[in-house]
Amino acid sequence: MNHEENKIMAHRQHVKYFMRFLNILPSSLSSHDTTRVTIAYFSVSGLDVLGAISSVSLDLRTRIIEWIYRLQVHPDKNNGDMSMCGFQGSSTINIDLDPPNNHYRCGHLAMTYTGLCILLAMGDDLSRVNRKALVAGVKALQTEEGNFAATLSGCESDMRFVYCAACVSYILNDWSGFNIEKATDYIIKSIGYDYGIAQCPELESHGGTTFCALATLSLTNQLHKLSEQQVEGLKRWLLFRQVDGFQGRPNKPVDTCYSFWVGASLKILDMLQYSNYGANRRYVYETQDTVVGGFSKWPDTCTDPMHTYLGLAGLSLIGESGLLEIEPTLNITKRAYEHLKSLHAKWDNEDLHVL
Amino acid sequence: MSDSGDSDVAWTYYKDRPEWNDVTPVPEDEGPNLVVVIAHSEKFVDVYDYFRAVLQNNEKSERALHLTKDAVELNPANYTVWQYRRDLLKALGTDLRSELDYVELVIKNSPKNYQVWHHRRVLVEWLQDPSQELELTGDALMQDPKNYHAWQHRQWAIKTFGLYEKEMDFVDNLITDDVRNNSAWNQRYFIVNNHLGWSDLNVQREICYTLEKIKFIKNNESAWNYLKGVLIHDKRGLSGNAVVTSFCEELYKNKCRSPYLLAFIIDICDEAIKKGETNCLHNATRAVELCQALATKYDKIRSKYWNYMCEKFKKAQQEEENNKEKAANMDE
């Protein structure tokens, strides 16, 4: 590939790329069957950061919104139980189930989070979201340790879902399902000897989980719980991830997605401006497919929606022209974030009227 | 894992199996709004139509157990299938040892899948038998010495069942194979922190070990980070261990300009300043010089960061000079 040519954003191709993913996917992606909402999230948010939401037809927009709402799990009709509430990632298990199997139809925190992000990017007013139920669903998933499982039906718990739970609580403007103190404690216990943050206590520090942890501390207004030494250590650890692009762990290869995970972590700590934008930008562009659109993790490898979105989001953080600004903590555009803020104001008003 | 079902000639669809004709398949209800549709193979559709039926009927049978195997093969990331399989194992009283063998095979094919490792963990918990976990994760780490899932499972098994005894040898071998394996260094810390303890002797031993490795390859962030980690447990701090400080100065004298060395000396200076224990080697002026050297020559990619650090030290330097002046004035 001509790398000189590849320094220009293949804007039109990326829009088409995401549009294709929103429509139909090949059978080789069958292993993503239960997480289709995340593919939709990367595609919709990708279009958003490209400034191309307006090019989504009204018909497609309606289809996406209706599809997401259809994946919402509502309280149990018989006993009002809300512990399984949230969004499912697809309609694979979107069937009526009787006890004792009814818990199998349950929300998944990553899908609830990304589902809400899609609704926000599409301009929906979340009026059909059962906020109380979703918050109860979040609450049911926090463990004694302070972290979260993704679903009720047999699932690991770790830092990824702490972040998803924080995002859901923030978007719904309701923290009653999220024990902030316990989650903060878990995050601080997961800081390593090198000051990076891991998936769980004592595991290796990782760029992705460091983002999840820092974004959670920011969303819960707990960044001040970090000591000066921890903050300075984190700054150093994060900035040392830059090789040209960013790596996720020391001595690992650079990967496009860390331009977002590490970039956004630095942004949260107000340190991104001390990284090298030029080298970062050059690396991400090396992973761009200018012919059919998309970004990959390494140059000349297969593109995918996740790396495409995160590559664009990473470029947006360093002020690439032609891209909308990103709100790093929620990982949505500022445009979608402003829409959320207007909804929060509206909900506050409604609450006042009730009083 | 890709859905390669269509190339499987000998495959009989569930809908064509006489032993399943008492079950009505339940198709996926996508609703009227089709987005991000996966064009699944016919085999995938068939298997999952029957999986939904089994789940809806709460059927607990050997054939259902077998069906979950087919469903897992088509999509090992389907956590519902795994959970239902666990329900079946319990209900049927299936031999969990054979299940361990089975999940081992799946892990070998999908070593970076969260659901399979979770399944493994639940089985080990049920059996309260971790005897195969070190070997299993050891094999996975042979394929990929930085596989995060394997390390997570290994740490869990070691911590839950106290399997520390031979872990240091395992880690030693990995570090010998690749001194830049950051996961292995992290595991080393894990063992000392949970098992051996940070006695003065152990701290000193870990320092010597790490310095040897740094001597071998100086530009290795993993070893330098570990060194700092060990020194958290040295009461004298970063700057008080003569073995470490003289090692660093020796490297510096011998023209080593690894950014990790220079950053380490900067951190020693920083600590000395904060403790009010600066000396002729470790003080704000030296820190300023090192930051400038990093910014302009030895770590240019982080030049902005080193300039930022430099500004901090310049303030400290100013204070140092003010203090000196004050002291001089007092002498007069």
Side-chain angles (χ1 to χ4, degrees):
Chain A
M1 186 168 291
N2 183 339
H3 288 294
E4 277 308 305
E5 208 174 86
N6 202 9
K7 281 178 191 163
I8 302 156
M9 175 75 66
H11 194 278
R12 192 170 47 88
Q13 287 90 326
H14 298 317
V15 171
K16 279 190 176 168
Y17 180 86
F18 287 128
M19 287 295 191
R20 280 199 299 279
F21 275 94
L22 279 176
N23 281 304
I24 193 148
L25 315 172
S27 68
S28 59
L29 292 179
S30 278
S31 64
H32 294 274
D33 181 54
T34 58
T35 51
R36 281 164 55 206
V37 168
T38 61
I39 299 177
Y41 159 75
F42 291 128
S43 305
V44 167
S45 288
L47 290 168
D48 199 5
V49 75
L50 286 163
I53 280 292
S54 56
S55 66
V56 178
S57 69
L58 191 61
D59 169 61
L60 179 56
R61 190 184 297 220
T62 312
R63 265 160 56 206
I64 294 169
I65 291 174
E66 294 308 312
W67 177 67
I68 295 287
Y69 273 120
R70 234 176 146 267
L71 296 171
Q72 184 173 203
V73 179
H74 293 285
D76 188 301
K77 282 190 192 92
N78 298 314
N79 59 16
D81 180 17
M82 297 192 284
S83 60
M84 75 290 261
C85 292
F87 287 106
Q88 293 183 293
S90 72
S91 40
T92 309
I93 314 291
N94 202 350
I95 47 171
D96 286 326
L97 293 168
D98 295 322
N101 281 354
N102 50 344
H103 65 95
Y104 276 107
R105 186 181 186 171
C106 61
H108 182 293
L109 272 180
M111 308 305 148
T112 310
Y113 155 55
T114 50
L116 289 170
C117 291
I118 293 170
L119 292 176
L120 288 171
M122 297 272 88
D124 182 77
D125 64 1
L126 306 189
S127 60
R128 284 182 279 163
V129 170
N130 188 336
R131 275 142 56 192
K132 213 176 124 195
L134 254 55
V135 168
V138 168
K139 191 173 184 147
L141 296 169
Q142 190 163 21
T143 70
E144 249 331 283
E145 243 188 306
N147 66 7
F148 284 80
T151 75
L152 276 183
S153 65
C155 174
E156 70 280 359
S157 54
D158 56 47
M159 196 64 82
R160 291 171 300 156
F161 306 123
V162 174
Y163 170 66
C164 294
C167 288
V168 172
S169 306
Y170 186 92
I171 291 171
L172 300 179
N173 206 13
D174 184 343
W175 292 92
S176 59
F178 187 109
N179 185 324
I180 293 177
E181 202 177 318
K182 271 192 179 172
T184 306
D185 184 49
Y186 179 80
I187 290 169
I188 288 176
K189 279 189 180 137
S190 302
I191 300 177
Y193 61 83
D194 57 6
Y195 295 103
I197 308 178
Q199 188 77 278
C200 65
E202 300 200 85
L203 214 56
E204 186 184 3
S205 302
H206 187 287
T209 48
T210 299
F211 166 79
C212 290
L214 284 178
T216 301
L217 291 177
S218 173
L219 290 167
T220 52
N221 282 320
Q222 299 294 306
L223 278 169
H224 64 276
K225 292 279 167 72
L226 297 172
S227 68
E228 192 202 332
Q229 195 167 18
Q230 285 167 335
V231 172
E232 292 306 311
L234 268 162
K235 289 175 181 174
R236 169 86 59 88
W237 188 85
L238 287 163
L239 283 164
F240 267 53
R241 301 287 56 77
Q242 183 160 30
V243 178
D244 40 22
F246 288 86
Q247 61 188 185
R249 298 181 251 167
N251 290 323
K252 286 271 284 179
V254 164
D255 176 334
T256 294
C257 68
Y258 296 107
S259 287
F260 178 79
W261 300 128
V262 177
S265 303
L266 285 166
K267 183 97 181 171
I268 289 167
L269 294 177
D270 198 19
M271 285 300 283
L272 184 60
Q273 68 271 27
Y274 297 106
S275 68
N276 188 317
Y277 289 5
N280 182 9
R281 181 176 185 274
R282 267 191 302 282
Y283 177 78
V284 175
Y285 270 109
E286 271 178 48
T287 66
Q288 178 180 231
D289 185 329
T290 53
V291 181
V292 294
F295 289 80
S296 49
K297 62 171 166 179
W298 299 325
D300 304 315
T301 51
C302 264
T303 61
D304 63 72
M306 182 185 93
H307 285 88
T308 305
Y309 170 65
L310 293 173
L312 290 168
L315 288 173
S316 162
L317 288 174
I318 56 172
E320 185 75 5
S321 64
L323 296 178
L324 262 61
E325 213 180 315
I326 289 279
E327 175 60 36
T329 50
L330 288 177
N331 200 359
I332 56 178
T333 61
K334 278 258 154 56
R335 189 195 66 83
Y337 182 72
E338 290 309 323
H339 174 53
L340 173 65
K341 284 285 144 190
S342 74
L343 293 180
H344 283 180
K346 199 174 124 202
W347 296 342
D348 284 347
N349 252 328
E350 286 166 2
D351 290 346
L352 280 177
H353 284 297
V354 173
L355 292 174
Chain B
M1 193 184 290
S2 70
D3 174 9
S4 55
D6 287 341
S7 59
D8 194 347
V9 209
W11 179 260
T12 309
Y13 292 111
Y14 276 82
K15 61 184 182 220
D16 297 331
R17 296 182 191 189
E19 71 272 26
W20 281 90
N21 67 10
D22 58 315
V23 173
T24 311
V26 178
E28 179 173 0
D29 180 10
E30 281 266 33
N33 301 292
L34 299 179
V35 277
V36 283
V37 176
I38 301 177
H40 293 302
S41 68
E42 210 179 318
K43 178 180 176 180
F44 188 102
V45 173
D46 178 62
V47 166
Y48 275 91
D49 285 356
Y50 279 82
F51 175 70
R52 275 182 289 273
V54 160
L55 189 63
Q56 209 162 40
N57 301 336
N58 192 27
E59 177 176 323
K60 299 280 167 67
S61 65
E62 287 297 333
R63 68 175 186 180
L65 189 66
H66 194 84
L67 174 71
T68 57
K69 221 177 213 179
D70 285 330
V72 156
E73 198 176 308
L74 291 161
N75 178 14
N78 189 316
Y79 49 90
T80 312
V81 173
W82 282 112
Q83 178 63 19
Y84 195 63
R85 187 172 171 83
R86 285 189 288 275
D87 279 1
L88 287 165
L89 292 171
K90 271 201 163 161
L92 301 171
T94 311
D95 173 22
L96 295 178
R97 306 253 156 217
S98 64
E99 185 68 6
L100 274 183
D101 294 341
Y102 164 64
V103 74
E104 182 172 344
L105 271 176
V106 187
I107 286 175
K108 287 207 160 114
N109 288 321
S110 312
K112 291 195 171 178
N113 166 308
Y114 284 98
Q115 288 73 31
V116 289
W117 286 103
H118 179 68
H119 189 65
R120 180 78 187 188
R121 177 161 159 175
V122 175
L123 291 176
V124 173
E125 274 173 346
W126 283 354
L127 284 163
Q128 283 297 303
D129 174 11
S131 58
Q132 296 177 52
E133 300 323 287
L134 295 184
E135 199 184 330
L136 173 85
T137 51
D139 287 349
L141 293 171
M142 209 127 83
Q143 298 299 312
D144 174 4
K146 300 176 182 180
N147 179 338
Y148 209 81
H149 302 267
W151 280 115
Q152 188 166 5
H153 186 76
R154 192 176 179 91
Q155 283 200 351
W156 167 78
I158 290 175
K159 217 171 171 173
T160 309
F161 298 97
L163 312 176
Y164 294 98
E165 208 181 319
K166 293 179 187 153
E167 192 60 4
M168 204 47 129
D169 293 336
F170 179 76
V171 165
D172 250 344
N173 285 332
L174 283 177
I175 294 179
T176 307
D177 285 350
D178 174 14
V179 75
R180 290 191 170 90
N181 183 344
N182 195 61
S183 310
W185 284 99
N186 185 72
Q187 187 74 347
R188 194 175 180 92
Y189 192 90
F190 170 81
I191 305 161
V192 181
N193 204 39
N194 288 289
H195 182 57
L196 304 174
W198 298 107
S199 63
D200 290 349
L201 192 70
N202 285 344
V203 168
Q204 210 51 45
R205 202 198 50 225
E206 288 308 298
I207 287 170
C208 291
Y209 177 88
T210 312
L211 297 184
E212 277 304 310
K213 299 295 175 192
I214 293 175
K215 243 186 240 170
F216 173 53
I217 291 182
K218 293 163 193 79
N219 216 14
N220 177 11
E221 185 182 352
S222 301
W224 284 104
N225 281 349
Y226 184 75
L227 181 63
K228 267 176 84 175
V230 172
L231 286 168
I232 294 172
H233 306 279
D234 189 321
K235 287 183 278 298
R236 298 160 295 183
L238 217 52
S239 52
N241 190 306
V243 177
V244 175
T245 47
S246 59
F247 173 85
C248 291
E249 293 312 328
E250 196 59 32
L251 280 184
Y252 190 85
K253 250 188 249 160
N254 290 322
K255 306 270 186 292
C256 173
R257 291 296 180 271
S258 158
Y260 307 113
L261 169 68
L262 303 195
F264 194 89
I265 301 176
I266 288 172
D267 290 341
I268 296 178
C269 294
D270 188 40
E271 193 188 271
I273 294 164
K274 281 180 180 142
K275 282 185 174 171
E277 290 172 4
T278 51
N279 54 48
C280 58
L281 275 175
H282 303 126
N283 51 56
T285 307
R286 176 110 190 268
V288 167
E289 280 167 18
L290 289 171
C291 286
Q292 284 166 343
L294 282 161
T296 55
K297 207 164 173 188
Y298 303 112
D299 196 26
K300 282 198 219 162
I301 188 126
R302 272 168 283 280
S303 61
K304 286 181 189 164
Y305 171 67
W306 293 119
N307 287 332
Y308 154 85
M309 292 291 282
C310 193
E311 288 309 310
K312 286 189 166 187
F313 287 116
K314 274 184 182 162
K315 276 183 204 149
Q317 192 182 19
Q318 196 60 51
E319 274 167 35
E320 263 173 28
E321 269 160 27
N322 288 349
N323 288 345
K324 263 187 220 159
E325 230 169 81
K326 255 188 222 162
N329 287 342
M330 295 242 294
D331 285 346
E332 280 171 22

